[in-house]
Amino acid sequence: MSTFGTSAYLKLISLNPRPQRTELRKRLSPSDSSYDFHRSLRLHANRLLAKGESIENVLESVGRIAKLPERTSVQAGLATLLDWRTSHPSKLFEVKPHIYTSPNAVFKLGFSADFGTVIDGKRCAVHLWNTKKPPLSNRLTIGTLSLIKLSYPEVDNLVVLSLLDSQLFWSVVDDRYVAIGHNLALRIEEIILSVEEELRAPTKDRRTPPAPPHPLA
Protein backbone atom coordinates (compact mmCIF):
# COMPACT_ATOMS: atom_id res chain seq x y z
CA MET A 1 0.00 0.00 0.00
CA SER A 2 1.37 3.39 -0.99
CA THR A 3 1.92 5.91 1.79
CA PHE A 4 2.03 9.64 1.06
CA GLY A 5 3.52 12.35 3.19
CA THR A 6 1.45 15.48 3.65
CA SER A 7 3.25 17.70 1.14
CA ALA A 8 3.48 14.90 -1.43
CA TYR A 9 -0.28 14.35 -1.29
CA LEU A 10 -1.09 18.07 -1.41
CA LYS A 11 1.15 18.40 -4.46
CA LEU A 12 -0.50 15.39 -6.10
CA ILE A 13 -4.07 16.60 -5.67
CA SER A 14 -3.14 20.07 -6.99
CA LEU A 15 -1.80 18.70 -10.29
CA ASN A 16 -3.84 18.54 -13.45
CA PRO A 17 -4.99 15.04 -14.51
CA ARG A 18 -2.17 14.14 -16.91
CA PRO A 19 0.78 15.24 -14.71
CA GLN A 20 -1.07 13.74 -11.75
CA ARG A 21 -1.03 10.35 -13.44
CA THR A 22 2.60 10.80 -14.43
CA GLU A 23 3.50 11.63 -10.83
CA LEU A 24 1.76 8.49 -9.58
CA ARG A 25 3.41 6.38 -12.24
CA LYS A 26 6.85 7.60 -11.12
CA ARG A 27 5.94 6.94 -7.52
CA LEU A 28 4.63 3.43 -8.16
CA SER A 29 7.39 2.33 -10.57
CA PRO A 30 10.22 0.29 -9.04
CA SER A 31 13.12 2.66 -8.47
CA ASP A 32 15.57 3.92 -5.91
CA SER A 33 14.13 6.19 -3.24
CA SER A 34 13.85 9.74 -4.53
CA TYR A 35 15.53 12.62 -2.76
CA ASP A 36 13.20 14.71 -0.62
CA PHE A 37 14.14 18.27 -1.56
CA HIS A 38 12.10 19.78 1.27
CA ARG A 39 13.12 17.48 4.11
CA SER A 40 15.92 19.84 5.09
CA LEU A 41 13.46 22.68 5.68
CA ARG A 42 11.38 20.52 8.00
CA LEU A 43 14.43 19.40 9.96
CA HIS A 44 15.75 22.94 10.40
CA ALA A 45 12.30 24.29 11.28
CA ASN A 46 11.99 21.53 13.88
CA ARG A 47 15.35 22.44 15.38
CA LEU A 48 14.32 26.08 15.54
CA LEU A 49 10.78 25.64 16.86
CA ALA A 50 10.61 22.32 18.69
CA LYS A 51 14.15 21.98 19.99
CA GLY A 52 14.66 25.69 20.71
CA GLU A 53 18.04 26.00 19.01
CA SER A 54 19.30 29.50 18.37
CA ILE A 55 18.58 31.17 15.06
CA GLU A 56 22.32 31.64 14.55
CA ASN A 57 23.06 27.92 14.89
CA VAL A 58 20.22 26.90 12.60
CA LEU A 59 21.14 29.42 9.89
CA GLU A 60 24.78 28.35 10.11
CA SER A 61 23.67 24.78 9.50
CA VAL A 62 21.53 25.88 6.55
CA GLY A 63 24.56 27.62 5.07
CA ARG A 64 26.34 24.24 4.87
CA ILE A 65 23.69 22.69 2.58
CA ALA A 66 25.68 21.70 -0.51
CA LYS A 67 23.02 22.15 -3.20
CA LEU A 68 22.41 25.82 -3.92
CA PRO A 69 18.71 25.57 -4.94
CA GLU A 70 17.95 23.59 -1.78
CA ARG A 71 19.96 25.97 0.41
CA THR A 72 18.23 29.01 -1.09
CA SER A 73 14.80 27.43 -0.65
CA VAL A 74 15.45 26.59 3.01
CA GLN A 75 16.82 30.06 3.74
CA ALA A 76 13.81 31.76 2.15
CA GLY A 77 11.36 29.39 3.87
CA LEU A 78 12.88 29.92 7.31
CA ALA A 79 12.92 33.70 6.82
CA THR A 80 9.19 33.65 6.07
CA LEU A 81 8.55 31.32 9.01
CA LEU A 82 10.42 33.62 11.40
CA ASP A 83 8.46 36.64 10.14
CA TRP A 84 5.22 34.71 10.56
CA ARG A 85 6.14 33.66 14.09
CA THR A 86 6.83 37.30 14.97
CA SER A 87 3.24 38.06 14.01
CA HIS A 88 1.93 34.90 15.72
CA PRO A 89 3.99 34.57 18.92
CA SER A 90 1.69 32.09 20.69
CA LYS A 91 3.21 29.22 22.63
CA LEU A 92 4.12 26.12 20.62
CA PHE A 93 3.01 22.58 21.43
CA GLU A 94 3.64 19.14 19.98
CA VAL A 95 1.09 17.42 17.76
CA LYS A 96 1.35 13.69 17.12
CA PRO A 97 1.14 12.49 13.49
CA HIS A 98 -1.93 10.60 12.31
CA ILE A 99 -2.41 8.10 9.49
CA TYR A 100 -5.45 8.35 7.23
CA THR A 101 -6.34 5.22 5.27
CA SER A 102 -8.22 5.78 2.01
CA PRO A 103 -11.82 4.49 1.73
CA ASN A 104 -10.86 1.19 0.07
CA ALA A 105 -7.45 0.86 1.77
CA VAL A 106 -5.56 1.56 -1.45
CA PHE A 107 -3.23 4.17 0.04
CA LYS A 108 -2.35 5.84 3.32
CA LEU A 109 -1.76 9.50 4.04
CA GLY A 110 0.41 10.47 6.95
CA PHE A 111 -0.47 13.94 8.17
CA SER A 112 2.48 15.42 10.02
CA ALA A 113 2.20 18.76 11.79
CA ASP A 114 5.48 20.63 11.98
CA PHE A 115 4.24 22.34 15.13
CA GLY A 116 1.13 23.20 17.06
CA THR A 117 0.22 26.75 18.04
CA VAL A 118 -2.74 28.98 18.78
CA ILE A 119 -4.01 31.10 15.87
CA ASP A 120 -6.96 33.44 16.40
CA GLY A 121 -7.76 31.65 19.64
CA LYS A 122 -7.82 28.20 17.99
CA ARG A 123 -5.47 25.31 18.77
CA CYS A 124 -3.99 24.49 15.38
CA ALA A 125 -1.76 21.75 13.98
CA VAL A 126 0.38 23.47 11.35
CA HIS A 127 2.03 21.82 8.34
CA LEU A 128 4.58 23.85 6.37
CA TRP A 129 4.32 24.07 2.57
CA ASN A 130 7.28 25.36 0.55
CA THR A 131 6.73 24.04 -2.99
CA LYS A 132 6.45 26.56 -5.84
CA LYS A 133 4.76 24.33 -8.39
CA PRO A 134 1.99 23.40 -8.59
CA PRO A 135 0.14 26.12 -6.67
CA LEU A 136 -2.05 24.60 -4.00
CA SER A 137 -5.69 24.12 -4.91
CA ASN A 138 -7.58 26.04 -2.24
CA ARG A 139 -10.74 23.93 -2.49
CA LEU A 140 -9.03 20.56 -2.59
CA THR A 141 -6.57 21.45 0.17
CA ILE A 142 -9.37 22.58 2.47
CA GLY A 143 -11.34 19.44 1.60
CA THR A 144 -8.39 17.20 2.45
CA LEU A 145 -7.65 19.01 5.71
CA SER A 146 -11.31 18.87 6.71
CA LEU A 147 -11.41 15.13 6.07
CA ILE A 148 -8.23 14.41 8.05
CA LYS A 149 -9.36 16.69 10.87
CA LEU A 150 -11.93 14.01 11.81
CA SER A 151 -8.96 12.05 13.24
CA TYR A 152 -7.66 15.02 15.26
CA PRO A 153 -10.04 15.69 18.17
CA GLU A 154 -7.18 17.19 20.20
CA VAL A 155 -6.96 20.35 18.06
CA ASP A 156 -9.46 22.83 16.67
CA ASN A 157 -8.05 23.06 13.15
CA LEU A 158 -5.52 21.60 10.77
CA VAL A 159 -3.66 24.36 8.94
CA VAL A 160 -1.24 24.50 6.04
CA LEU A 161 1.10 27.50 6.18
CA SER A 162 2.54 28.38 2.78
CA LEU A 163 6.05 29.75 3.22
CA LEU A 164 5.85 31.17 -0.30
CA ASP A 165 3.37 33.89 0.65
CA SER A 166 2.36 33.26 4.32
CA GLN A 167 -1.11 32.12 3.19
CA LEU A 168 -3.03 29.86 5.57
CA PHE A 169 -5.30 27.01 4.48
CA TRP A 170 -7.70 25.93 7.24
CA SER A 171 -9.78 22.84 7.82
CA VAL A 172 -13.46 23.64 8.25
CA VAL A 173 -16.37 21.96 10.00
CA ASP A 174 -18.46 21.49 6.88
CA ASP A 175 -19.77 18.21 5.50
CA ARG A 176 -19.45 19.55 1.96
CA TYR A 177 -15.70 19.96 2.29
CA VAL A 178 -15.34 16.60 4.04
CA ALA A 179 -17.15 15.08 1.05
CA ILE A 180 -14.71 16.82 -1.31
CA GLY A 181 -11.79 15.28 0.57
CA HIS A 182 -13.45 11.85 0.58
CA ASN A 183 -14.35 11.90 -3.12
CA LEU A 184 -10.86 13.11 -3.97
CA ALA A 185 -9.36 10.16 -2.08
CA LEU A 186 -11.63 7.83 -4.07
CA ARG A 187 -10.39 9.44 -7.29
CA ILE A 188 -6.75 8.99 -6.28
CA GLU A 189 -7.52 5.35 -5.48
CA GLU A 190 -8.90 4.86 -9.00
CA ILE A 191 -5.80 6.33 -10.60
CA ILE A 192 -3.45 4.28 -8.41
CA LEU A 193 -5.25 1.04 -9.30
CA SER A 194 -5.24 1.96 -12.99
CA VAL A 195 -1.52 2.78 -12.96
CA GLU A 196 -0.69 -0.40 -11.03
CA GLU A 197 -2.61 -2.47 -13.59
CA GLU A 198 -0.77 -0.70 -16.40
CA LEU A 199 2.60 -1.36 -14.79
CA ARG A 200 1.80 -5.05 -14.38
CA ALA A 201 0.98 -5.41 -18.08
CA PRO A 202 3.70 -6.60 -20.50
CA THR A 203 5.58 -3.65 -21.97
CA LYS A 204 4.24 -4.19 -25.49
CA ASP A 205 0.65 -4.11 -24.21
CA ARG A 206 0.96 -0.92 -22.17
CA ARG A 207 -1.16 1.97 -23.27
CA THR A 208 -1.63 5.12 -21.23
CA PRO A 209 -5.35 5.86 -21.08
CA PRO A 210 -6.48 9.39 -21.84
CA ALA A 211 -6.53 11.65 -18.82
CA PRO A 212 -10.07 12.07 -17.49
CA PRO A 213 -11.48 15.51 -16.79
CA HIS A 214 -10.62 16.82 -13.33
CA PRO A 215 -13.98 16.50 -11.50
CA LEU A 216 -12.99 18.50 -8.41
CA ALA A 217 -10.78 21.30 -9.71
Side-chain angles (χ1 to χ4, degrees):
M1 183 186 301
S2 296
T3 300
F4 297 93
T6 311
S7 286
Y9 189 75
L10 293 177
K11 175 183 176 181
L12 179 68
I13 64 175
S14 295
L15 290 169
N16 290 324
R18 191 174 296 279
Q20 188 178 73
R21 186 180 184 89
T22 300
E23 182 73 16
L24 280 173
R25 184 184 177 88
K26 288 192 299 183
R27 188 178 186 92
L28 297 171
S29 297
S31 63
D32 295 333
S33 297
S34 58
Y35 180 70
D36 185 353
F37 181 85
H38 299 290
R39 182 171 181 268
S40 186
L41 170 69
R42 324 204 80 79
L43 293 175
H44 284 90
N46 180 265
R47 287 170 56 182
L48 188 63
L49 299 179
K51 295 184 169 58
E53 287 193 40
S54 69
I55 296 174
E56 292 76 15
N57 284 350
V58 172
L59 293 181
E60 181 183 358
S61 174
V62 173
R64 294 196 296 269
I65 296 175
K67 298 179 180 179
L68 179 59
E70 181 182 359
R71 183 168 71 247
T72 302
S73 176
V74 174
Q75 288 170 334
L78 288 179
T80 302
L81 177 59
L82 289 171
D83 287 342
W84 186 85
R85 281 290 296 154
T86 299
S87 302
H88 300 79
S90 298
K91 184 177 179 180
L92 301 176
F93 57 88
E94 183 180 359
V95 183
K96 294 181 179 180
H98 284 253
I99 299 293
Y100 165 79
T101 302
S102 65
N104 298 298
V106 174
F107 71 87
K108 291 183 178 181
L109 166 59
F111 183 86
S112 56
D114 291 291
F115 58 93
T117 191
V118 177
I119 308 174
D120 296 339
K122 304 288 188 181
R123 284 174 56 84
C124 298
V126 182
H127 176 82
L128 299 174
W129 169 264
N130 198 40
T131 302
K132 290 183 178 180
K133 293 181 180 181
L136 282 176
S137 164
N138 187 69
R139 187 165 176 256
L140 302 186
T141 299
I142 294 173
T144 296
L145 293 176
S146 302
L147 174 66
I148 301 172
K149 170 61 181 69
L150 300 178
S151 300
Y152 273 90
E154 66 269 34
V155 296
D156 297 310
N157 291 91
L158 302 188
V159 175
V160 170
L161 167 59
S162 170
L163 296 178
L164 304 176
D165 54 12
S166 297
Q167 183 178 359
L168 295 174
F169 299 81
W170 294 69
S171 64
V172 294
V173 182
D174 188 326
D175 289 343
R176 294 171 297 178
Y177 275 98
V178 173
I180 288 172
H182 178 81
N183 291 336
L184 180 58
L186 288 173
R187 178 64 191 140
I188 296 299
E189 284 188 328
E190 291 177 2
I191 303 173
I192 288 175
L193 293 175
S194 174
V195 170
E196 288 179 339
E197 182 178 1
E198 178 187 332
L199 291 173
R200 285 194 297 268
T203 304
K204 64 178 181 179
D205 294 333
R206 290 182 186 172
R207 292 184 177 86
T208 302
H214 204 323
L216 297 170

